[in-house]
Amino acid sequence: AAFALGAAPRAPPTASRSRRHIARAPSAAVASPAPATADVDTRTARELVAWLTVEKGLPGGAAKAVSFGDGGVAKLVNDVRAGEPLIEIPQNLAVTSVDVADSPIVAGLAAGRGELVGLALWLCLERHKGPLSEWAPYVATLPSAGADHPLLWTTDELQTLLQGSPVREEAALRLESADDEYATIADQIRSNPDDFPLDAYKFLTRDAFVDALATVLARAVWLNAANCYAMVPLVDLLPLVGAPPPGVSPAAAAGGPAAGQPGLASAAGVVDYDAATECVAVVSANDAQQTARVVCVDPLARNAGDLFLATGAVDESHCGDYLAFAASCMQTDRLYEAKRQVLEGMGMSADGQTFPVFADRMPMQLLAYMRFARVQDPGELMSVSFEEDRIVSPMNEYEVLQLLMQDAREMLAEYESSSEEFELLQLKEKGLNARQIAAAKLRLAEKRLINATTTAVRRRLAPIRGIPTKQGLEDPNADLLEIFDAIENLPNKPKQMFDEFRKWARGDYEDQIR
């Protein structure tokens, strides 16, 4: 099930087996509150701080560096240096699967289900208790994730607004999974009236459960050191921003002048469990000035699409956004078995291996994999390097780059329009609702990534496709190129025919006929 997550969520390694399942962001990206915290006002946030301090014994300096305003917007009270803690919440004040298991009302229903489902059941119960809840001041800061969270979209809206988007399938899967999860929970209650008295579970409606699940998706914090999800007061109010690519400091997510962006750099908080202090700590990854916004760098390093599915917001300034490109070895290849063994020895798959492709770099691991997959000469098999950018042969490189270009064009062809300008014009239209705006922003971000990839591939192709002659540049593989170009243009033929027919119906060719 889409929500049945175990301990290890998906992150963007050099090569990942799957890009789906619940498994990045400068000042401009947090100019407005995230949907999941938009209804949290300053008074509610301050009441939470007072409750944590007075009734729960939160040390006075645990969150003194940060102040919270309307929408949960957090700002620095004073200047901070990189490495300084911004917030420290003791582990007994964080809600985890342990607390779910300790609840006599929902423990039985949560048993055997994913952590996120268990936390959603806990939240349903605590919301139902209202002011009588032990966690009432905290629950008050966990309002609805917003009416426009993707988990609350209709199937038709997902199919229409996310047409072409790589996340459409996952969004539909989550919607179906949420309904299935609730159906099995409701069936468990009905089938065991002795263990689950119907009167005691009237609060657990389908709408209440799905809304709680959407809130948990948007607000739950993944703690790498503890290997679990947690609902952490104050920490989950921080806007979630995209993490930079692997190997780049989290400070890159702060934005500001250093990142070539206007405005004051944010304090990029890195969240994790600290075993020494037994606290969930948010540590600043960069130096930041007083009044700077405080953001939380996504510990799961998800791309903009996955973050959108979780939070309902599109990170337009995602500093490490990526898309997943898939590659496989052909099973009809006479070298398939040898290739499969080599790839599995490196922890990869010969069928459906996916790689994250970032906007600012060539996907070297993907290129190496595709070179390896297309090699036909046994003598060249071991000449492929996964450690450095090494061309096997001009013909192999030409074929690989053309295939990569074709993959990118096929991805663009899935959208209603392949152009970025189409989305920009959509965003300028008046009367768009929040769902249409979010979908257009997401499609635009995805198209930019795909186009950046095609640009990088074209640059790599340039010295391979042409050779200098007296007449200029001539392609040494002109015949092969002509075949590739014909194949690449096939998806556009029906649209071109329809456009021509529409022009004829409008009378655009009347002057030519006369």
Side-chain angles (χ1 to χ4, degrees), residues 182-232:
Y182 177 75
T184 60
I185 291 171
D187 183 65
Q188 185 177 355
I189 294 172
R190 286 192 301 269
S191 303
N192 301 277
D194 293 337
D195 296 330
F196 308 105
L198 295 180
D199 289 344
Y201 290 89
K202 287 183 178 179
F203 71 91
L204 196 55
T205 64
R206 188 263 179 196
D207 289 345
F209 172 75
V210 173
D211 185 82
L213 184 57
T215 301
V216 168
L217 282 173
R219 300 282 294 275
V221 179
W222 174 256
L223 305 175
N224 279 307
N227 213 31
C228 71
Y229 282 99
M231 304 292 290
V232 189

Side-chain angles (χ1 to χ4, degrees), residues 33 89 115 211 239 264-265 294 317 343 361 409 426 428 461 482 487:
I89 304 297
E115 288 182 84
D211 185 82
L264 195 63
V294 182
S317 301
L343 290 171
R361 63 197 65 194
R409 289 179 175 176
Q426 288 265 303
K428 291 180 181 179
L461 270 171
E482 185 177 348
I487 295 173

Side-chain angles (χ1 to χ4, degrees), residues 432-456:
L432 294 180
N433 60 39
R435 299 181 183 187
Q436 292 171 321
I437 293 173
K441 289 180 178 179
L442 179 62
R443 296 192 304 264
L444 177 60
E446 292 167 347
K447 290 179 182 180
R448 284 174 172 167
L449 278 171
I450 299 171
N451 285 327
T453 301
T454 59
T455 300

Side-chain angles (χ1 to χ4, degrees), residues 48 51 122-123 126-128 130 133 135-143:
L48 173 61
W51 174 73
W122 174 88
L123 182 55
E126 299 305 320
R127 281 176 171 176
H128 172 66
S133 169
W135 297 88
Y138 174 45
V139 175
T141 66
L142 295 170

